[in-house]
Amino acid sequence: MADIQSEESAWIARTPGMPDAARTWLGGLDDRLAAADRRADVILGTPVLSPAAIVRLGRLVADTAPRLGPALLSRDGDAIIAALSQLAIRGGPTYVKLGQLIATTRGLVPDAVTDAFAGCRDAVPPASSAAIASTLRRSGVLDALQSWDRQPIASASVAQVHAAVLNDGTDVVIKVRRPGIVGLVASDAAYLLPALQFAESRDERLRVANLSGTVELMLRLFAQECDLVLEATSAVQLALAFEKAGVNVHVPAPIPGLVTKRV
């Protein structure tokens, strides 16, 4: 059915190479989702005493303690929120995701809390331009670019976006996955989930809140989100759905041949 729709789609027809690319992406969707499930199982199965998890936790404690420790001792609520929001923004994809979740709870928690975590949506410190260039090169995309802006348009938990120009002069936006984030998230999962499960075993309110279940779901969604071919597939699905419904919504087209798991 997806093949028939894609062949009749005006949106598909506008982009050279898109009919074959869309057919490939849609046809491989189940396999990529299964691969994402396996990736999630690996992340969730990371041993708590793995060397990477221990090093990771040590660095987070060292970075956060100077601000969070005094705030906790003085019971200064505003300072505690500020320290935790900085941990979320600077702590890597797992904590950025948690910060994004908190930022969406306006009306359930005080506005001062959601406002403090608002930067987790798109103001996360970007990866270095050298690291992004390395990812573009390894993905085979760099050679297709006439130029790209080293300063990102926006930077979030999984990826950041840069303005660029293709060799044929076409203006595009490239979305690049942050280097090393899968291993980083696995290291966080190793200690974060057991800590939440232990806390829930000791407190009925935490058990009802099911924070560990929320984090596990978040990590399973992350395992899908870090495959940008799935995002290109979603763009095709959205465009076909809007077109079929007669809804006039512009969906930017992925460039066939320049879509990889990381770019």
Side-chain angles (χ1 to χ4, degrees):
M1 183 172 173
D3 287 345
I4 294 173
Q5 287 182 329
S6 65
E7 289 169 0
E8 297 175 349
S9 166
W11 182 88
I12 293 282
R14 279 199 298 267
T15 303
M18 183 62 80
D20 288 340
R23 191 174 297 109
T24 298
W25 294 335
L26 293 168
L29 179 58
D30 289 344
D31 288 342
R32 286 198 169 272
L33 289 174
D37 284 342
R38 293 192 295 271
R39 188 180 304 118
D41 290 339
V42 171
I43 290 171
L44 294 168
T46 306
V48 66
L49 294 180
S50 67
I54 293 171
V55 170
R56 169 72 169 152
L57 181 58
R59 287 176 178 171
L60 284 173
V61 171
D63 290 344
T64 307
R67 294 190 65 182
L68 184 58
L72 289 171
L73 289 173
S74 64
R75 297 184 178 181
D76 184 336
D78 291 339
I80 291 172
I81 292 171
L84 290 176
S85 67
Q86 284 303 303
L87 168 63
I89 290 175
R90 304 184 64 84
T94 309
Y95 290 93
V96 172
K97 285 290 185 187
L98 289 171
Q100 290 173 344
L101 181 63
I102 294 171
T104 63
T105 59
R106 183 177 293 272
L108 299 176
V109 300
D111 289 352
V113 176
T114 57
D115 290 345
F117 288 88
C120 292
R121 292 174 181 152
D122 59 5
V124 182
S128 70
S129 59
I132 296 301
S134 177
T135 299
L136 292 172
R137 187 178 300 107
R138 288 187 290 110
S139 297
V141 174
L142 190 61
D143 290 342
L145 301 178
Q146 181 184 117
S147 64
W148 63 283
D149 191 345
R150 269 62 175 171
Q151 182 65 32
I153 298 170
S155 179
S157 57
V158 173
Q160 57 196 62
V161 293
H162 296 255
V165 181
L166 299 182
N167 287 330
D168 65 4
T170 303
D171 290 320
V172 296
V173 170
I174 50 174
K175 183 172 185 176
V176 187
R177 194 177 84 182
R178 288 175 171 272
I181 61 168
V182 175
L184 197 61
V185 169
S187 297
D188 288 336
Y191 62 82
L192 189 57
L193 280 173
L196 289 173
Q197 290 163 353
F198 176 78
E200 288 168 352
S201 70
R202 298 300 185 92
D203 190 301
E204 176 65 23
R205 291 170 299 178
L206 291 176
R207 187 158 55 250
V208 171
N210 192 24
L211 294 178
S212 63
T214 300
V215 171
E216 180 177 343
L217 176 60
M218 181 188 76
L219 294 175
R220 289 196 174 277
L221 292 174
F222 163 81
Q224 295 182 10
E225 195 176 354
C226 66
D227 183 351
L228 297 187
V229 177
L230 282 174
E231 184 157 335
T233 308
S234 294
V236 172
Q237 291 176 314
L238 281 173
L240 293 175
F242 284 133
E243 200 169 43
K244 183 177 180 181
V247 178
N248 185 21
V249 174
H250 177 68
V251 179
I255 306 296
L258 296 181
V259 175
T260 73
K261 183 186 291 187
R262 295 178 175 84
V263 181

